[in-house]
Amino acid sequence: MALIIALVVALACHVQAKAVFAHFMVANSQNFTVDNWKEDITLAQAAKIDAFALNMGYGSPYAGQILNDAFTAAADLDFKLFFSLDYSGDGHWPQDQVITWLSNYTKLPAYYKHNEETPLVSTFEGYEAQGDWVNIKKKVDCFFVPDWSSVLPEKLAAATVADGLMSWNAWPDGTAAMNTSMDERYLSVLKSSNGTDRPYIMPVSPWFYTNMVRYNKNWVWQGDDLWYTRWKQVAELEPEYVEILTWNDFGESHYIGPIHEHDLGTFVSGGAPFDYAVGMPHDGWRAFLPYVIDEYKNGGDGSSTIESEGLVAWYRLSPSWACSAGKTTGNTASQGQTVLPPGEVLTDAIFFSALLESAAEVSVSIDGKLESVDWSDTPDGDRGMYFGSVPMDNRTGEVIVTLTRDGKELTRVAGQPISTTCGNNNMTNWNAWVGSNLTNLSAGNGSSNGTSTKSGAAAAWSSTRAELRGLLIPVLIVWLGLGFVL
């Protein structure tokens, strides 16, 4: 019995809790102060995000001070950070520089550690430099989980220098629905015959529109229902890690963090024809993260606490036919995709999602014309996440999405008007406007800050329950194995 207890304790010490990261573009924080870092970190913590993956290109003259401020703020707030070295933007990272940066920062208390033991390091691309990591890992203790999505996962199976793999395939192709086929391919190649599977970082993203002349980037990928659909897929697959793409990549329109207007220089440096992030908040996409992240960590059993019911709505501010496409394509030939008109990839519709304790009705008003709308997807037992949409149908004007229950208004999102007036050099802004409104169940007060949190006791129990679930199978295996011996 003492041996069994010892083995159970040893297993408990090595169970890796699930975690959610957000990809953070360090280049978009050149004007950050420690207080700016604390602002963003506090918002990430409220959304139950566990760490920022710091994307860094080689040779940034500002990186040292930025990172010092970031790690100072993270340590003060008990938040975690880790490096995601970008091999695509400014070129190859020399391995001696990688060793220097890792040596300087991985020992800090705010650096994220896999299994709470080994510093986690990721990349954006850099497959051609995989040989460097044999030497890097000899010099610096680290757990290496790169994103090498330019190479098919079956080929990456032989890359034994990688302790796990990340994928960047977070968007569907053209008009196809988002599926998990690529995630499943990664999970398959990471499986081991001895049961010690290498971890997978599954990507999740809400949107993609970029128009950067300098980088020859001008396309959209399908967003529409992506944020809602992808989190359901996360709960189904239960990967060890999830990474949100991104916290602050304004140039690709998939940010979920706040817009700092003094850090939108990417539109100038990238040669964008206009700033398509200003006035287009995405904070609402964080509103339900506490719930969906708990669902992922709890195994999707529907037991996660709902402290705030609420509503999130998102849509583009002009129909696809109203203004010039700005030479933007749906899909891109640079990724080997079939190019489509952007208006075929993105739907002219208003999308909305609700988090509810029980069923409620939804209605949408455009320019004062109200209509009731059926939900497209509802949760089992009427408790949890709801989703729906309504076509624009060439209508313009102010948008109001309203939730009601038993004839009483629960909450509403009053959004920006849809217009056919063409600004932005007569170009369509293919980015999304996102709004949210929450109602605290205990106080009954509406809030539009896009955040909700669990009580400390509830959060602690959720974490404990998830850990116990993760321990159950290995403990039974140990018990049965020893039973045969005894």
Side-chain angles (χ1 to χ4, degrees):
M1 181 60 69
L3 179 58
I4 292 174
I5 293 173
L7 285 170
V8 169
V9 171
L11 282 168
C13 293
H14 289 85
V15 169
Q16 172 66 37
K18 298 173 182 174
V20 175
F21 314 132
H23 201 78
F24 189 104
M25 306 298 291
V26 173
N28 288 343
S29 63
Q30 291 183 10
N31 296 312
F32 264 35
T33 64
V34 172
D35 286 342
N36 290 136
W37 278 107
K38 287 186 175 181
E39 176 187 349
D40 279 33
I41 287 171
T42 299
L43 292 173
Q45 288 176 312
K48 299 264 180 108
I49 292 168
D50 297 289
F52 283 154
L54 301 178
N55 176 288
M56 301 191 307
Y58 173 63
S60 169
Y62 310 101
Q65 185 58 53
I66 292 173
L67 292 179
N68 291 342
D69 288 347
F71 277 92
T72 296
D76 287 347
L77 296 174
D78 193 24
F79 189 67
K80 302 301 179 185
L81 311 168
F82 66 92
F83 290 162
S84 176
L85 303 174
D86 195 324
Y87 281 75
S88 71
D90 297 317
H92 183 93
W93 270 86
Q95 63 172 289
D96 63 324
Q97 293 299 307
V98 175
I99 291 168
T100 298
W101 284 96
L102 294 182
S103 299
N104 289 341
Y105 287 95
T106 56
K107 297 174 184 176
L108 298 178
Y111 199 97
Y112 186 88
K113 294 177 174 61
H114 173 75
N115 279 339
E116 299 184 357
E117 295 175 350
T118 313
L120 178 64
V121 182
S122 188
T123 71
F124 179 70
E125 293 302 338
Y127 174 75
E128 69 285 351
Q130 64 171 304
D132 292 359
W133 286 90
V134 175
N135 185 51
I136 292 168
K137 291 175 70 176
K138 289 179 181 178
K139 298 293 180 65
V140 183
D141 185 30
C142 63
F143 194 86
F144 183 48
V145 185
D147 158 55
W148 288 335
S149 295
S150 59
V151 179
L152 292 176
E154 289 76 15
K155 185 175 180 179
L156 297 178
T160 55
V161 71
D163 299 301
L165 292 171
M166 178 185 173
S167 167
W168 207 259
N169 292 278
W171 303 272
D173 187 346
T175 59
M178 187 65 189
N179 60 53
T180 60
S181 60
M182 184 60 74
D183 305 295
E184 292 170 31
R185 288 168 66 180
Y186 273 91
L187 289 167
S188 177
V189 302
L190 290 168
K191 285 189 178 298
S192 172
S193 58
N194 62 11
T196 56
D197 299 345
R198 291 184 288 172
Y200 173 55
I201 302 180
M202 181 173 174
V204 176
S205 189
W207 205 259
F208 193 109
Y209 162 52
T210 184
N211 190 346
M212 293 284 179
V213 175
R214 177 188 169 192
Y215 306 120
N216 297 312
K217 295 166 57 175
N218 188 3
W219 71 85
V220 297
W221 281 326
Q222 186 191 140
D224 291 358
D225 66 344
L226 183 60
W227 189 238
Y228 173 81
T229 299
R230 193 62 171 157
W231 280 108
K232 289 186 67 176
Q233 293 172 351
V234 165
E236 292 167 3
L237 290 186
E238 296 189 73
E240 186 158 339
Y241 293 128
V242 173
E243 189 160 323
I244 297 169
L245 310 179
T246 61
W247 182 263
N248 67 335
D249 194 335
F250 306 110
E252 293 186 351
S253 306
H254 42 60
Y255 52 94
I256 65 164
I259 297 172
H260 299 277
E261 293 193 10
H262 59 280
D263 276 296
L264 294 177
T266 185
F267 294 104
V268 175
S269 62
F274 65 97
D275 183 336
Y276 42 86
V278 67
M280 305 293 278
H282 289 182
D283 303 85
W285 273 327
R286 298 197 309 274
F288 300 153
L289 278 182
Y291 178 81
V292 295
I293 288 175
D294 279 347
E295 279 295 279
Y296 150 64
K297 291 183 177 180
N298 295 339
D301 59 7
S303 65
S304 302
T305 299
I306 300 176
E307 220 175 64
S308 297
E309 292 187 302
L311 177 68
V312 179
W314 63 97
Y315 53 95
R316 291 177 290 104
L317 299 185
S318 63
S320 58
W321 52 264
C323 309
S324 165
K327 298 183 180 179
T328 301
T329 59
N331 283 356
T332 171
S334 66
Q335 301 286 323
Q337 297 174 321
T338 300
V339 173
L340 301 168
E344 290 186 17
V345 172
L346 296 178
T347 307
D348 287 343
I350 296 159
F351 303 90
F352 41 86
S353 181
L355 178 61
L356 300 171
E357 279 282 6
S358 60
E361 296 74 46
V362 62
S363 60
V364 177
S365 168
I366 303 177
D367 197 26
K369 300 176 181 65
L370 184 68
E371 64 174 303
S372 296
V373 182
D374 291 331
W375 295 107
S376 304
D377 196 15
T378 59
D380 293 338
D382 292 334
R383 181 184 184 278
M385 295 288 295
Y386 288 68
F387 174 78
S389 65
V390 62
M392 292 182 186
D393 282 340
N394 299 327
R395 294 172 290 177
T396 60
E398 184 182 21
V399 175
I400 300 176
V401 185
T402 306
L403 281 177
T404 57
R405 180 183 290 136
D406 300 327
K408 296 180 180 179
E409 182 173 313
L410 183 63
T411 191
R412 64 166 59 188
V413 171
Q416 292 295 308
I418 300 169
S419 173
T420 57
T421 301
C422 300
N424 308 320
N425 300 321
N426 196 41
M427 295 181 185
T428 299
N429 186 347
W430 299 101
N431 194 4
W433 181 91
V434 186
S436 66
N437 209 354
L438 304 183
T439 300
N440 189 289
L441 289 176
S442 59
N445 297 321
S447 169
S448 59
N449 62 6
T451 64
S452 65
T453 58
K454 271 188 181 179
S455 67
W461 167 238
S462 292
S463 176
T464 301
R465 180 174 53 203
E467 291 176 5
L468 288 173
R469 183 183 291 110
L471 280 171
L472 180 59
I473 293 176
V475 167
L476 286 174
I477 292 172
V478 170
W479 181 276
L480 291 172
L482 288 173
F484 286 115
V485 175
L486 296 173

